Amino acid sequence: MNTTDEQHIRDLIAATTELWIAHDMPGWGRHFTEDADFVSHAGQWWTSRHDNVEGHLDIPDSVVPQKRNYVQRVESIAEVAAGVALVHTRWDWPDHRSPGSEAQDRAGIISYVVVRRDDRWRIRAAHNTRIS
């Protein structure tokens, strides 16, 4: 994988992180393929961009402002075939508070399969695993 592709993938992850924090889920979803799979940390499995976005819109209003505490960083990028890469990120979400619960420091790992389509890198699949 050349350094330009690697930088574009890093930019993709940075963009989706910023859109996640802003809770711009339609904007976030545009970085996924139409047939994207997403497995959430809670075990939901969405099999389209539409369902993925809709599923991520369904969070309590009290959680949205807490997203400003969320960070995600790329840990590794590996080319698995021409135009296909496996990306692992780590995320941290300190002081996350679900309704009726005490604040928790949450963390996890997301495995992404990203593909180059129409001269853009997009997320084809993601699996989010909570580790805290």
Side-chain angles (χ1 to χ4, degrees):
M1 170 166 293
N2 66 48
T3 57
T4 300
D5 282 336
E6 185 172 319
Q7 186 57 54
H8 287 166
I9 292 168
R10 289 181 183 280
D11 293 345
L12 167 69
I13 299 302
T16 58
T17 302
E18 288 174 17
L19 291 162
W20 168 259
I21 291 167
H23 198 60
D24 179 353
M25 303 323 295
W28 177 79
R30 284 191 284 279
H31 293 281
F32 289 78
T33 62
E34 288 288 338
D35 59 347
D37 286 274
F38 193 107
V39 178
S40 76
H41 72 85
Q44 292 107 333
W45 179 10
W46 298 297
T47 58
S48 72
R49 176 193 296 171
H50 176 267
D51 290 348
N52 180 24
V53 169
E54 290 296 311
H56 282 93
L57 282 170
D58 187 26
I59 66 167
D61 290 338
S62 64
V63 173
V64 173
Q66 297 176 49
K67 285 184 165 191
R68 69 181 176 275
N69 296 334
Y70 181 89
V71 295
Q72 181 176 212
R73 62 197 170 281
V74 174
E75 295 289 324
S76 66
I77 300 173
E79 184 176 37
V80 294
V84 180
L86 175 63
V87 180
H88 288 98
T89 68
R90 289 190 183 268
W91 59 266
D92 293 291
W93 194 341
D95 299 322
H96 180 282
R97 185 183 307 269
S98 295
S101 299
E102 293 187 27
Q104 300 176 353
D105 291 340
R106 291 187 174 186
I109 298 169
I110 303 178
S111 299
Y112 293 99
V113 174
V114 298
V115 295
R116 188 173 40 231
R117 292 193 179 162
D118 303 323
D119 291 329
R120 280 187 62 198
W121 286 96
R122 294 181 189 266
I123 299 166
R124 172 55 184 85
H127 189 132
N128 185 4
T129 302
R130 191 168 151 203
I131 58 174
S132 60

